[in-house]
Amino acid sequence: MFKMKIALIQSSLAWENPEKNRNTFEKKINAIEDKVDLIILPEMFTTGFTMEPNAVAETMHGETLTWLKHLAKAKNSAITGSLVITENGNFYNRMVFVFPSGEVCSYDKKHLFTLAGEDKVYTGGNKKIIVEYLGWKICPLVCYDLRFPVFARNTEDYDLLIYVANWPKTRINAWDALLKARAIENMSYTVGVNRIGEDNNGHQYNGHTQVVNFLGEYILEPIENKGKSKRFPLLVFFLDNFLCPIPYFYYHHKSLEVYINSAQED
C-alpha cells in the first residue's frame, strides 16, 4: 500500500505582494508539526488572481521558486501551487510541483478564464502532466480547468487529481458539485484547494477546500472560513482494497491523510 499525508493550506492572499504572501505561507508551513508528504497551496498564491502580470511575474529561477525549493528540502515534503511566470516573452498561470530534492515539474493552466480577461494577458498551456511521487500518479490542474471534464479524463490511470483555485463565493456551489463529478467520473481521489478573503476587485472567496474519494464521498467536507481564525486538526482516513464495480478498474491500495489549515489573515 502507498500511503501519503497531505497538507492543504486555505488562506487569504495579499494583493500583488509576493514577499508578504511568501512570509505568510512560510509561517503556516512551518507550523505543521506532523511530517507531511505534500503541501498544496492555492492558485496564484503569491499575488491573488491578478490580470497585471507585468507587475509581479517571476522566472523559474526567481525568488518564489528558490524559496519553494528551500522549504521543500527543509520540510522533506513536496509543495505545489500556481504563480505568475514569465518565459519567452509570455506570461503563464503556472502550477509548479516542487520535490524535496529540488526537482520541479510544471503545468501551465490550459483553460483561461475569459470573463476576467485572463486569456488576453496569459498564454494557455497545451497539455496536462502526470507527476509521479511516492508511488502515486498525480494530475495537477488549475481553477477554470475544473469545468472541462474531457481534459481531465483519466486516460493515464492517475490516482490523485488536484485543483488549486481562486474560486469566488458567488459560484461556490459549482465548485462543490464539479469536484465531486471529476472524482466520480475519473475514479480518482480529488482535492480542491481554494483561497479565502477578498481581493482588490471586490471578489469574495469563502474557501470550500475539500477532499473527495472516487465514489464522490467526502474525505474532508468543504471548509468554509467566515473571517475567524480556525485550526483544523489532522484528520486521518484510510480507504484501501476497494474493488470498483466497473471491471476495467483495479484495486486501490493507496490512502490519504489530510491536514487542513484555514485562517483569515488580519
Side-chain angles (χ1 to χ4, degrees), residues 139-201:
C139 180
L141 297 175
V142 180
C143 203
Y144 196 45
D145 288 330
L146 181 59
R147 290 188 178 271
F148 297 85
V150 173
F151 187 64
R153 184 171 292 163
N154 194 359
T155 57
E156 302 88 357
D157 194 29
Y158 57 73
D159 310 294
L160 174 61
L161 181 58
I162 298 173
Y163 288 95
V164 299
N166 278 211
W167 196 286
K169 181 179 180 178
T170 52
R171 295 187 288 276
I172 205 65
N173 286 341
W175 165 260
D176 293 340
L178 292 171
L179 285 169
K180 278 196 169 190
R182 298 297 88 82
I184 293 167
E185 68 198 11
N186 292 302
M187 294 300 291
S188 169
Y189 290 108
T190 299
V191 172
V193 176
N194 194 22
R195 65 161 294 178
I196 54 177
E198 183 176 347
D199 67 19
N200 268 33
N201 295 313

Side-chain angles (χ1 to χ4, degrees), residues 43-44 49 51 92-93 107-120 122-128 140-153 163-164 167 182:
E43 177 186 21
M44 290 195 184
F49 191 56
M51 296 301 109
Y92 298 92
N93 184 347
Y107 159 73
D108 293 329
K109 182 179 181 182
K110 177 176 173 61
H111 300 97
L112 303 178
F113 190 50
T114 55
L115 291 178
E118 188 180 14
D119 59 315
K120 293 179 172 58
Y122 293 93
T123 299
N126 54 25
K127 63 179 180 180
K128 66 181 179 183
L141 297 175
V142 180
C143 203
Y144 196 45
D145 288 330
L146 181 59
R147 290 188 178 271
F148 297 85
V150 173
F151 187 64
R153 184 171 292 163
Y163 288 95
V164 299
W167 196 286
R182 298 297 88 82

Side-chain angles (χ1 to χ4, degrees), residues 3-265:
K3 176 181 172 182
M4 183 164 58
K5 185 185 290 187
I6 64 174
L8 316 178
I9 302 184
Q10 174 175 280
S11 177
S12 56
L13 302 175
W15 187 252
E16 296 182 356
N17 193 332
E19 183 177 4
K20 184 174 182 179
N21 287 312
R22 286 193 297 267
N23 290 337
T24 295
F25 282 111
E26 185 162 351
K27 290 176 184 177
K28 292 178 182 293
I29 289 170
N30 286 333
I32 301 171
E33 297 177 355
D34 300 87
K35 169 66 176 73
V36 297
D37 302 303
L38 174 60
I39 299 166
I40 307 176
L41 310 179
E43 177 186 21
M44 290 195 184
F45 67 86
T46 59
T47 61
F49 191 56
T50 177
M51 296 301 109
E52 299 291 339
N54 276 301
V56 296
E58 301 184 40
T59 71
M60 292 297 285
H61 304 287
E63 287 188 51
T64 297
L65 264 296
T66 300
W67 170 79
L68 284 170
K69 291 176 183 180
H70 171 78
L71 267 182
K73 180 179 179 180
K75 298 295 289 187
N76 192 28
S77 171
I79 306 176
T80 190
S82 94
L83 70 158
V84 180
I85 292 290
T86 181
E87 192 172 82
N88 299 324
N90 296 317
F91 297 112
Y92 298 92
N93 184 347
R94 180 168 292 177
M95 188 167 178
V96 296
F97 190 103
V98 181
F99 292 80
S101 65
E103 178 188 354
V104 179
C105 292
S106 65
Y107 159 73
D108 293 329
K109 182 179 181 182
K110 177 176 173 61
H111 300 97
L112 303 178
F113 190 50
T114 55
L115 291 178
E118 188 180 14
D119 59 315
K120 293 179 172 58
V121 292
Y122 293 93
T123 299
N126 54 25
K127 63 179 180 180
K128 66 181 179 183
I129 67 166
I130 303 298
V131 177
E132 297 196 19
Y133 178 59
L134 300 181
W136 291 68
K137 295 172 75 172
I138 301 170
C139 180
L141 297 175
V142 180
C143 203
Y144 196 45
D145 288 330
L146 181 59
R147 290 188 178 271
F148 297 85
V150 173
F151 187 64
R153 184 171 292 163
N154 194 359
T155 57
E156 302 88 357
D157 194 29
Y158 57 73
D159 310 294
L160 174 61
L161 181 58
I162 298 173
Y163 288 95
V164 299
N166 278 211
W167 196 286
K169 181 179 180 178
T170 52
R171 295 187 288 276
I172 205 65
N173 286 341
W175 165 260
D176 293 340
L178 292 171
L179 285 169
K180 278 196 169 190
R182 298 297 88 82
I184 293 167
E185 68 198 11
N186 292 302
M187 294 300 291
S188 169
Y189 290 108
T190 299
V191 172
V193 176
N194 194 22
R195 65 161 294 178
I196 54 177
E198 183 176 347
D199 67 19
N200 268 33
N201 295 313
H203 299 304
Q204 298 282 340
Y205 303 88
N206 62 336
H208 280 229
T209 290
Q210 59 192 267
V211 182
V212 185
N213 71 17
F214 34 81
L215 290 178
E217 301 165 336
Y218 284 123
I219 293 178
L220 177 68
E221 293 189 0
I223 299 297
E224 179 167 341
N225 188 288
K226 296 181 172 66
K228 174 180 170 183
S229 291
K230 297 181 181 180
R231 288 282 299 203
F232 296 86
L234 185 70
L235 303 174
V236 182
F237 305 91
F238 296 98
L239 197 58
D240 310 315
N241 300 333
F242 172 80
L243 180 60
C244 174
I246 302 175
Y248 58 84
F249 284 98
Y250 299 96
Y251 284 97
H252 284 257
H253 294 281
K254 297 180 171 71
S255 68
L256 287 175
E257 290 188 20
V258 182
Y259 171 99
I260 175 73
N261 177 296
S262 175
Q264 180 75 45
E265 297 299 314

